[in-house]
Amino acid sequence: QVQLVESGGGLLQPGGSLSVSCVASGNIFRIIAMAWYRQTPGKERELVASINAGGAINSAESVKGRFTISRDNAKNTVNLQMNSLKPEDTAVYYCNAHIYTSVRDWGIYWGQGTQVTVSS
């Protein structure tokens, strides 16, 4: 069994900065990729940024230049540093990971989500 636990959400004003973190634990053989998604009411969950084990990053156009994803492979953690936050960044942010639990068994796992609210 694998668990993803996020931390670091909160309420802040436009232009502010915030970091959210996620740690994966449990029966982990190898983590292929980790990512952050976000979702607002009535909309589909969207990819914010992803990073694979080699460090290759994919980011949404709306966050490029403002958000930075990073990963600590030794600690099974992924971090999202969010700068110059805008009200439209308000969402529940979810951690996501593609994890092998053995040589052949793998799954896609999600955290419980953390709320980020940007408002004046």
Side-chain angles (χ1 to χ4, degrees):
Q1 192 173 2
V2 173
Q3 299 84 35
L4 301 182
V5 178
E6 300 109 334
S7 61
L11 170 65
L12 66 165
Q13 294 184 343
S17 297
L18 185 69
S19 178
V20 290
S21 297
C22 171
V23 58
S25 62
N27 184 27
I28 297 172
F29 177 72
R30 185 161 60 104
I31 299 178
I32 304 302
M34 302 187 81
W36 287 95
Y37 285 72
R38 65 187 182 186
Q39 188 172 25
T40 55
K43 293 188 177 181
E44 292 189 357
R45 195 170 294 186
E46 63 174 1
L47 175 68
V48 177
S50 65
I51 182 169
N52 67 16
I57 291 172
N58 181 36
S59 299
E61 286 297 325
S62 60
V63 305
K64 284 183 178 178
R66 300 189 299 122
F67 291 11
T68 302
I69 190 171
S70 60
R71 177 175 167 177
D72 186 330
N73 291 332
K75 297 182 179 179
N76 293 337
T77 59
V78 63
N79 186 70
L80 184 69
Q81 176 66 43
M82 301 180 285
N83 299 326
S84 301
L85 280 158
K86 305 174 181 179
E88 51 263 43
D89 295 317
T90 295
V92 178
Y93 284 71
Y94 294 92
C95 180
N96 166 281
H98 176 189
I99 296 175
Y100 273 79
T101 54
S102 71
V103 174
R104 291 179 296 182
D105 298 319
W106 61 271
I108 303 297
Y109 299 90
W110 293 91
Q112 79 285 356
T114 185
Q115 178 71 45
V116 174
T117 302
V118 185
S119 175
S120 56

